[in-house]
Amino acid sequence: MTTSPITASLDRVPDQVGYLVMNEDGAVMASSGGELENDEAAAGVIMKMVDVALRLQTGTDKQEPFKRLSVIYDEHMYMVTISNQKIYVSKRTNEHHEPITV
Amino acid sequence: MGHSSCDPGSGRTFIMGCCFSNEEDELLPNKEPNERTHLLHNPASNTPNRPISSDDFANHTPPGPKGDEQSALNRILHQTANNVIDVSAIDHHSMEQHEYMDRARQYSTRIAIVTSSSGGRLKKKTPLPQGTATPQAVLATDPISQADVQLMNKAAAYAASAVSQVRVEHKEDLVVPFGIP
């Protein structure tokens, strides 16, 4: 497995328990690891989320896509971003998981 | 005998139509059914422009004293005929070859218009933007603050509660009588 500089630096994301990179078709590329290693199911769900999020219009500038998509649970969270026609996903533990009061 | 099938309880329009055509049959007694006569000639009777011929029902059994039995049999026949839809008797609009071609052309142009106006979104999902140059840095930055998460949760809860309180308020009758004299 060839390790590009970017995926090598993905390992250094703090509190990370897994990561994956997929192409624009949602296929998991050779770079994935930890809890997300070859996790096609998670990749499919995240791909749909990305597709929906890209359709959102922020109002000020239609062309501006999101910078980072955060899916936050009490215990952990998924961080998603796009770079060079690839989708980067990082699963991190949620440090501050005190109960959320509504 | 034709009138006997119009007994109370069978006042459906189809039966009435058959009664009428039975009177016609009495006027034309030379129409004798043979083995090639269709038993259910025009069963669905949903083509009022065609004459309803139910002579087959009535004439192929001799009128006799067994009137009640006969009318009962007729009723069964009528009911069966009502349930049969003769496709060949409904509409004889046959399409010509050029009509098919015209419609095919018309439909394909419509489809082309729809797909071009929607910007090809029907076929392909949103293309990915260029995005950031340093994905690892974006992923490594601190998550959004807990206060922001709580704010969003609160706002979503407010919105949900507001939506759940939407009620239809009855003001006036929806059904209004027309001014029929």
Side-chain angles (χ1 to χ4, degrees), chain A residues 16-78:
Chain A
Q16 181 171 259
V17 291
Y19 70 93
L20 65 83
V21 183
M22 54 183 154
N23 65 13
E24 55 187 331
D25 298 324
V28 181
M29 302 178 73
S31 42
S32 65
E35 292 183 14
L36 291 181
E37 186 166 9
N38 293 323
D39 194 340
E40 301 274 351
V45 173
I46 291 166
M47 187 68 215
K48 284 181 197 159
M49 286 177 155
V50 167
D51 195 42
V52 170
L54 286 176
R55 292 167 195 265
L56 281 179
Q57 294 183 352
T58 51
T60 50
D61 184 4
K62 281 183 186 177
Q63 300 303 315
E64 187 185 21
F66 66 86
K67 185 176 180 186
R68 186 178 68 177
L69 176 68
S70 303
V71 185
I72 301 188
Y73 295 85
D74 279 351
E75 301 288 330
H76 57 268
M77 55 194 174
Y78 293 89

Side-chain angles (χ1 to χ4, degrees), chain B residues 3 9 11 17 21 27 48-49 52 54 56 76 88 93 102-103 106 109 117 131 153 155-156 169 175:
Chain B
H3 293 276
S21 55
L27 297 174
N49 52 342
I52 300 165
S54 63
D56 313 326
I76 292 171
S88 66
H93 177 67
D102 284 349
R103 288 200 187 183
Q106 187 188 351
T109 43
S117 67
N153 278 314
E169 197 175 324
V175 180

